Amino acid sequence: MRVVFHSRVGGSGGVLDMLVPFLCDRIICVSLAVAARFKRRAGKVRVVYNGVDVRDFNPELSGAGFRKSNNIPFTGPLLGYCGQLAEGKGLAVLMEAFALVKKQLPDARLALAGRGDFELKLRAQAKELKLDDSVVFPGFISDVPGFMAALDVLVLPSFWLEGLSRVLLEAMASGKPVLATAAGGNVETVLDGVTGYLFPAGASEILGERACALLRDKELSLRMGKSGRRRAVEVFRRQPNGWLLAPVPPDGRLELGSIGFTCPLDAHYEDV
């Protein structure tokens, strides 16, 4: 019997990372960032990216339903986050950044979709910053494509080393520019300055500046959204991917473009 280990987390697994290569025949990782955990046993590692259904998530969908049900103006700027409401996701930093956005764009709104034990602290922070009228907590979202369609920009401010965030893929497939911390698999997902922006974890001022730039400049936002959509279709489209199980090179080096992806990870796209 062959044993396969599927690894989705970018942070070190400690002793587990030393045991897994000896106990398993194959280690399937969702990104190069995750594969780096097992670089000493690179011959067993295969990288297969998470996929996104580009038919379910597409730029043609309407977000009017989400905006209407949450009393958000149809034409007002809307930042959004979707996922666990946990301290490690950097949501307090996002709230600080949003306070800076509000000073320049008074009609902006922020939607924090999801559940978690950090919600009460976030609500208190919003009240303290006098943002409680501009921050929406819609809870668990069943219609994620509709949520993405409602946004102008998707933000992932996580301190955690994300393996390969599906929410970034879903936003890109929906034609939305993304803002994400420059850590873990985010740097393989987002082409900085092309499909969105990367920023240092915890840097609320930089995040606020980038968010304002995208919310103000509709042409820039549209261009990045189109590039993100194309990248989602060409690189992250959900499809049979057995042929992607190419080995990491024998010398153990983990380099972009060395594992047989659908297109170069550093490709820059023309407008589509």
Side-chain angles (χ1 to χ4, degrees), residues 232-245:
V233 170
E234 295 190 354
V235 180
F236 302 110
R237 181 179 71 254
R238 185 177 295 170
Q239 58 187 319
N241 54 19
W243 68 274
L244 284 173
L245 302 183

Side-chain angles (χ1 to χ4, degrees), residues 127 253 259:
K127 185 174 183 179
R253 291 180 299 156
I259 307 184

Side-chain angles (χ1 to χ4, degrees), residues 111-214:
L112 301 177
R115 295 173 180 165
D117 55 13
F118 201 56
E119 181 176 341
L120 292 179
K121 290 186 178 180
L122 288 171
R123 288 182 179 272
Q125 184 184 16
K127 185 174 183 179
E128 181 181 352
L129 294 172
K130 296 180 173 56
L131 299 172
D132 43 326
D133 291 338
S134 300
V135 180
V136 176
F137 292 87
F140 175 79
I141 296 290
S142 58
D143 180 16
V144 180
F147 174 74
M148 292 297 176
L151 302 181
D152 292 299
V153 181
L154 185 282
V155 186
L156 181 61
S158 183
F159 286 102
W160 294 342
L161 295 178
E162 305 284 343
L164 196 85
S165 172
R166 282 190 173 88
V167 75
L168 290 179
L169 306 185
E170 292 165 354
M172 289 164 58
S174 300
K176 306 298 178 179
V178 296
L179 297 170
T181 46
N186 295 350
V187 299
E188 298 171 51
T189 307
V190 182
L191 297 181
D192 190 30
V194 179
T195 64
Y197 291 114
L198 296 169
F199 62 93
S204 59
E205 290 188 9
I206 296 176
L207 173 54
E209 291 172 1
R210 295 301 197 188
C212 282
L214 288 171

